[in-house]
């Protein structure tokens, strides 16, 4: 029932992407600082429009092994301020990986932490997942701070495990178990 997907937090709504999100999504997906630690390069407007059209109305979660993007919108106005993503493991769908992006103008307000806590509650309490992970470039200071602040444990530090944008990169893996939720 993708059209009914909704996670509400005090200031935000996590919801399916809508065609009206294209302008906001295109603006932040075009920003080099947003793309810096992501697997993709800055998007053109046309790429962003195609992406939103493909995501709009998708079931959340997607079938195991497939990423789905979840819009993060202001509760007050429904304006898109970023997105998080969820992928259930193909071989063990009780485990999932998450990711998150906020538009630069909306960073530094605690929205990312609020969105992740809402997503964790949904994943553990509604979907009944066992374990969530997040993978981040070790140099992504904002992401490292965020994942620690929402209670994820750093479980792995991989050295030069990924050829990333022209150089070998280091990554941290963070994890959270359902039995560790809610964070005290
Ligand atoms: C990673 C990312 C989502 C983090 O966003 P963020 O804005 O730093 O995180 P939050 O929204 O939780 O904001 C936290 C900051 O807001 C501040 N803040 C302001 N008002 C706040 C409030 N009401 N509640 C909580 N924090 C608040 C906090 O002090 C905190 O600052 P600090 O980290 O310097 O202590 C963001 O940097 C981003 O989108 N980066 C580009 C994409 C990316 O690399 N994603 C990660 C891929 S793995």
């Amino acid at each position: 029932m993708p059209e009914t997907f909704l996670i509400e937090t005090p200031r935000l709504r996590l919801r399916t992407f809508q065609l009206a999100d294209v302008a906001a999504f295109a603006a932040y997906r075009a920003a080099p600082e947003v793309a810096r630690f992501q697997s993709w390069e800055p998007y053109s407007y046309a790429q962003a429009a195609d992406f939103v059209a493909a995501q709009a109305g998708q079931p959340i979660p997607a079938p195991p092994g497939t990423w789905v993007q979840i819009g993060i919108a202001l509760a007050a106005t429904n304006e898109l301020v970023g997105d998080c993503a969820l992928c259930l493991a193909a071989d063990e769908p009780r485990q999932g990986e998450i990711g998150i992006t906020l538009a630069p103008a909306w960073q530094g307000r605690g929205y990312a932490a609020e969105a992740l806590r809402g997503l964790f509650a949904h994943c553990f309490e509604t979907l009944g997942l066992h374990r969530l992970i997040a993978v981040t470039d070790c140099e992504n200071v904002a992401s490292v701070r965020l994942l620690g602040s929402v209670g994820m444990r750093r479980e792995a530090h991989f050295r030069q495990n990924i050829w990333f944008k022209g150089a070998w990169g280091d990554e941290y893996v963070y994890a959270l178990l359902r039995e560790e939720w809610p964070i005290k």
Side-chain angles (χ1 to χ4, degrees), residues 115-167:
L116 284 188
R117 289 196 187 94
L119 183 61
F120 293 164
H122 180 77
C123 287
F124 291 131
E125 296 167 17
T126 304
L127 301 181
L129 297 192
H130 167 67
R131 180 172 175 262
L132 287 171
I133 67 162
V135 181
T136 183
D137 190 301
C138 298
E139 293 182 8
N140 190 347
V141 174
S143 178
V144 167
R145 193 157 48 203
L146 170 68
L147 297 173
S149 79
V150 294
M152 297 192 94
R153 282 175 293 97
R154 188 185 295 172
E155 285 194 337
H157 179 181
F158 293 115
R159 304 286 304 275
Q160 299 192 17
N161 65 316
I162 183 169
W163 182 253
F164 185 71
K165 302 194 175 181

Side-chain angles (χ1 to χ4, degrees), residues 12 34 61 70 106 117 152:
L12 302 170
V34 169
I70 305 167
W106 298 101
R117 289 196 187 94
M152 297 192 94

Side-chain angles (χ1 to χ4, degrees), residues 11 33-34 37-38 100-102 106-113 135-136 140 142-143 145-146:
R11 297 178 294 171
E33 70 269 34
V34 169
F37 295 111
Q38 309 269 23
I100 186 161
T101 299
L102 278 190
W106 298 101
Q107 293 177 11
R109 302 165 193 240
Y111 284 161
V135 181
T136 183
N140 190 347
S143 178
R145 193 157 48 203
L146 170 68

